Amino acid sequence: MTYLGITAIGLPFQLFTTASSSLIRADGSPTYSMICNVTGAILNVFLDWLFMFVFGWGIQGAATATVIGQIVSFLLCAIYYFKFRTFQITRRMLGIKWYYAKRIAKLGTSNFINHTIMMLVNIVLNNSLKIYGAMSIYGSDIPLAVSGIIAKLNSVLSAFSIGLAQGCQPILGFNMGAKNYSRVKETYKKAVSIAIGISVLAFILFQCFPRQITGIFGSGDELYGDELYFEFAEKYLKIYMFMVCVFGIQPVTINYFTGTGNVRQGIILSLSRQGFFLIPLLLILPQFLGLTGVLYAGPIADFMACLLSLTMITLNFKKLDSGREVADK
């Protein structure tokens, strides 16, 4: 409650930075956009250390550091508004034009749904781990603690795929509008190849060094018992993240459909992994397999989402090969 109460102050600054980063990239300054985000993040890390370990402010210090980092990123983005390359910002531009607002909302719907479903997944996952963990030798605390670690690893991996996918959107949109379909396909294939390369590396690390990776976040020996904690952490990482080798395909494909104007396909894919597959599996499998069923829900959902992504992109490419534009009207 303390952390959320303070970090809520920084939400307007964070939202402004998120939106402005895209505008700055579109204006031809991707390096400056990166500087805005990275500066706030690095400052946050430094202030975390200063406020928590030097000043002894605890969780309040961590929250304050986060807000200060967000404000600095906000200020850097705001400065850029006075030096746009392509045009000057005027007051008239700040009014809402509903025609454009509707189109923007339409294109952003798939990512919005994806993040909303991810929130619901976390609720279902945490409750499943708590309930079925209590029925196992690990208790309810160890599965929840390990789940937090896996979520952090997952977010780092997601950042690569999502950043790669978002970086491709302008190229996809421009070439789709120019009817340069070969360039559209080439961009997608290169992005997927890079995403798969990163995912395969993550798979090797997760399968070969699970104890060392989870050990970075602590041993849990004070609260849970060292051996039980690491036993479940290794099991969780190896099973739940088993299909991480294809993890990057879905976000790249979602952004491909969004960037080329295929909103309906993007929404379907956004709902697929988390909503259509993972939540039902989290509710069904533990009924038969207990806590282990929670772990197996992850790779099964990843595989099914990957299969759906490849099927949809194959059908889309066939339409492009026939010379037809396939964007939603």
Side-chain angles (χ1 to χ4, degrees):
M1 290 176 64
T2 300
Y3 186 83
L4 182 60
I6 296 174
T7 53
I9 299 171
L11 286 177
F13 302 106
Q14 182 185 16
L15 290 171
F16 181 88
T17 301
T18 302
S20 298
S21 294
S22 298
L23 293 175
I24 293 169
R25 286 199 307 269
D27 191 52
S29 302
T31 303
Y32 189 88
S33 176
M34 180 181 68
I35 289 172
C36 292
N37 287 281
V38 171
T39 301
I42 293 175
L43 181 63
N44 185 5
V45 172
F46 170 73
L47 292 178
D48 273 336
W49 167 79
L50 182 66
F51 292 164
M52 293 178 70
F53 298 108
V54 178
F55 295 168
W57 291 357
I59 197 67
Q60 292 179 335
T64 303
T66 298
V67 173
I68 292 174
Q70 290 169 341
I71 292 174
V72 169
S73 292
F74 158 79
L75 291 173
L76 288 172
C77 288
I79 291 171
Y80 190 88
Y81 276 71
F82 297 98
K83 55 177 184 178
F84 262 82
R85 292 182 178 184
T86 51
F87 53 83
Q88 292 296 315
I89 300 291
T90 63
R91 187 170 296 180
R92 285 184 57 197
M93 294 179 182
L94 302 180
I96 296 177
K97 294 180 175 61
W98 293 109
Y99 171 75
Y100 295 112
K102 182 180 177 181
R103 295 184 68 184
I104 291 169
K106 184 179 178 183
L107 290 173
T109 298
S110 59
N111 278 321
F112 169 75
I113 291 175
N114 191 39
H115 282 79
T116 303
I117 295 294
M118 285 171 63
M119 177 190 69
L120 296 176
V121 165
N122 282 330
I123 294 172
V124 176
L125 177 61
N126 285 346
N127 280 281
S128 297
L129 289 170
K130 182 178 179 180
I131 294 169
Y132 293 100
M135 301 177 186
S136 71
I137 60 172
Y138 304 109
S140 59
D141 290 336
I142 289 179
L144 284 175
V146 173
S147 176
I149 293 173
I150 304 305
K152 290 180 178 66
L153 291 172
N154 203 26
S155 65
V156 172
L157 190 59
S158 296
F160 284 104
S161 299
I162 293 172
L164 183 66
Q166 289 180 343
C168 292
Q169 273 195 352
I171 303 172
L172 293 168
F174 178 86
N175 285 283
M176 178 61 78
K179 301 188 184 300
N180 190 350
Y181 302 139
S182 62
R183 180 64 61 83
V184 171
K185 292 170 61 179
E186 179 188 0
T187 301
Y188 173 82
K189 290 176 181 177
K190 285 184 176 180
V192 164
S193 298
I194 296 171
I196 290 176
I198 295 171
S199 299
V200 168
L201 177 60
F203 172 82
I204 295 171
L205 293 174
F206 292 167
Q207 294 299 314
C208 296
F209 308 104
R211 179 177 286 249
Q212 291 85 343
I213 292 173
T214 54
I216 295 172
F217 298 89
S219 64
D221 55 342
E222 294 181 3
L223 297 176
Y224 316 117
D226 193 47
E227 280 310 311
L228 273 181
Y229 176 84
F230 274 119
E231 180 184 321
F232 185 77
E234 291 182 41
K235 188 176 181 180
Y236 197 136
L237 191 58
K238 283 187 172 183
I239 297 176
Y240 193 81
M241 301 295 284
F242 183 77
M243 291 303 296
V244 72
C245 50
V246 296
F247 183 82
I249 294 177
Q250 191 197 18
V252 171
T253 307
I254 289 173
N255 279 272
Y256 165 84
F257 284 123
T258 302
T260 56
N262 294 277
V263 179
R264 282 172 292 185
Q265 288 91 330
I267 291 175
I268 291 171
L269 272 185
S270 294
L271 288 169
S272 64
R273 196 262 179 186
Q274 314 284 359
F276 296 155
F277 305 138
L278 187 53
I279 291 179
L281 286 168
L282 285 172
L283 295 174
I284 295 171
L285 289 182
Q287 300 286 339
F288 304 97
L289 301 174
L291 185 60
T292 304
V294 179
L295 305 186
Y296 277 105
I300 294 173
D302 286 333
F303 175 76
M304 295 171 73
C306 174
L307 199 61
L308 180 62
S309 298
L310 294 176
T311 301
M312 292 179 67
I313 199 67
T314 300
L315 294 174
N316 182 272
F317 279 3
K318 286 182 178 179
K319 291 181 179 180
L320 290 182
D321 289 338
S322 66
R324 288 189 292 148
E325 187 176 344
V326 289
D328 293 339
K329 301 300 181 184

